[in-house]
Amino acid sequence: MLKAKLARYRAQLLEPTSKSGSSGTGFDVQKAGDARVALIGFPSVGKSTLLSKCTNTVSEAAAYEFTTLTAIPGVVEYQGARIQLLDLPGIVEGASQGRGRGRQVVATAKTADLILVMLDATKSEEQRRLLEIELDAVGIRLNKRKPDVVFKRRTTGGLTTTVKLTKTNEKTIRTILASYKLHNCDVMIREDITTDEFIDVLIGTRKYIPCLYVYNKIDAISLEMVDKLARSENTVVISCEMSLNLDYLVERVWESLGLVKVYTKKRGERPDLSDPVCLRKGATIEDVCLGIHKSLATNFRYALGRSSKFSPHAQKVSLNHQVQDEDVVSIFTK
């Protein structure tokens, strides 16, 4: 019950319902490209240098702290996709409570499709733990997937579990529901979840974002330490100063985003392989239409889809047909 109350009060503090009063200057950066990647880290870990090296965007970099005071966007072009890289100001301990413009930083990070946590390889692992605590406190869940729980408010209802709960129990879940004044609702739990995960589902504002831990300044540590860090899960080791491993970092970013490329083709012509439509895995023909122009979906008649991996022959498909990576599509309108 205490955990549930604490989560609710923290959510109210971070996202006040009242619109009165000044909210302060935010980072109003328009989302551009096919995906957004946010750079987060403590001051002076090399975020600005990385942005400059990867995107040819000038971001002030210096040996002293807090050189970046607002969000600076740049674009990485890779395999025909345009990926927006966002250099956010360095956050400090206590950012989730608003210290050092921390709330604006993490609020912008919530809009990202991938988070790069920049770390200094010459410093202790404590910095990684502190950053994870700050992001967790504002509802960002790194490298976690949303719990398989279906929750709906009803005039009547009950609790259904399809698996045995070992990390919590039905009584605890009912108590948490009562603390949120949820007496009539349908809850279906389809995996063995913890109490914290169930509270996350109830609050509903949690963001589940993939993350890569990027260790900079590897030129200043031993080879044994570099090897140990490189073998860690979801980790990339780089040196911005010496431009080491930056190509591999961009490759890992592409893999983590999980984008699919769809090529368009006019009748009687070859597919345009230079300008693919980049979409999320699970995207449909309708998403392809919207990615080109919204009028295509409105006036859609049918599409001819050809998969380079599965079927060499064109097949007539509808709007809800799911596209695969490197599919070739011709769209016909009314």
Side-chain angles (χ1 to χ4, degrees), residues 128-296:
R128 173 169 166 171
R129 191 185 69 83
L130 289 171
L131 280 168
E132 286 174 340
I133 289 169
E134 294 299 333
L135 294 174
D136 193 82
V138 293
I140 295 176
R141 303 291 180 256
L142 299 177
N143 293 327
K144 291 181 182 177
R145 60 180 183 80
K146 194 172 180 180
D148 193 2
V149 177
V150 179
F151 166 77
K152 287 181 182 176
R153 294 172 186 268
R154 301 274 191 195
T155 50
T156 59
L159 179 65
T160 308
T161 57
T162 57
V163 294
K164 186 181 178 183
L165 298 175
T166 60
K167 300 167 188 174
T168 185
N169 56 60
E170 199 170 308
K171 185 182 176 184
T172 304
I173 287 171
R174 289 187 185 278
T175 306
I176 292 168
L177 286 168
S179 72
Y180 277 82
K181 295 182 172 62
L182 294 168
H183 304 290
N184 294 308
C185 56
D186 269 343
V187 182
M188 181 176 280
I189 300 171
R190 295 186 283 210
E191 69 172 295
D192 189 11
I193 58 168
T194 63
T195 305
D196 290 328
E197 286 172 335
F198 183 68
I199 292 168
D200 283 350
V201 171
L202 283 187
I203 289 174
T205 57
R206 302 306 190 222
K207 291 283 183 181
Y208 299 85
I209 304 174
C211 167
L212 284 176
Y213 297 96
V214 182
Y215 284 88
N216 188 23
K217 305 181 184 179
I218 57 166
D219 52 301
I221 60 173
S222 66
L223 279 174
E224 291 81 5
M225 193 62 189
V226 172
D227 185 60
K228 182 185 173 185
L229 290 173
R231 291 176 188 276
S232 304
E233 196 178 5
N234 302 313
T235 298
V236 182
V237 292
I238 63 165
S239 170
C240 290
E241 196 67 35
M242 299 182 71
S243 298
L244 294 175
N245 223 22
L246 298 184
D247 290 341
Y248 177 64
L249 172 61
V250 175
E251 194 180 310
R252 285 290 299 273
V253 165
W254 170 260
E255 288 173 9
S256 300
L257 285 169
L259 296 173
V260 296
K261 293 178 293 182
V262 179
Y263 302 107
T264 54
K265 177 184 176 300
K266 290 182 181 178
R267 181 179 278 179
E269 295 182 17
R270 289 185 173 275
D272 182 8
L273 302 179
S274 63
D275 188 20
V277 179
C278 295
L279 303 160
R280 298 248 158 253
K281 276 183 183 173
T284 62
I285 292 290
E286 185 176 7
D287 296 315
V288 177
C289 293
L290 293 171
I292 301 167
H293 196 277
K294 61 183 178 182
S295 66
L296 284 177

Side-chain angles (χ1 to χ4, degrees), residues 27-33 36 73 84 86:
F27 304 132
D28 189 17
V29 181
Q30 187 176 351
K31 215 168 182 179
R36 170 179 276 189
Q84 186 183 52
L86 209 55

Side-chain angles (χ1 to χ4, degrees), residues 1-61:
M1 277 186 73
L2 288 172
K3 276 184 174 181
K5 283 182 180 178
L6 187 62
R8 187 168 76 248
Y9 294 146
R10 186 178 282 141
Q12 288 171 0
L13 280 171
L14 291 170
E15 295 163 18
T17 52
S18 172
K19 293 187 179 179
S20 60
S22 174
S23 57
T25 308
F27 304 132
D28 189 17
V29 181
Q30 187 176 351
K31 215 168 182 179
D34 302 303
R36 170 179 276 189
V37 178
L39 283 167
I40 284 187
F42 287 122
S44 273
V45 290
K47 300 192 308 304
S48 302
T49 311
L50 178 64
L51 183 77
S52 301
K53 291 276 177 87
C54 290
T55 68
N56 297 321
T57 301
V58 178
S59 180
E60 191 179 345

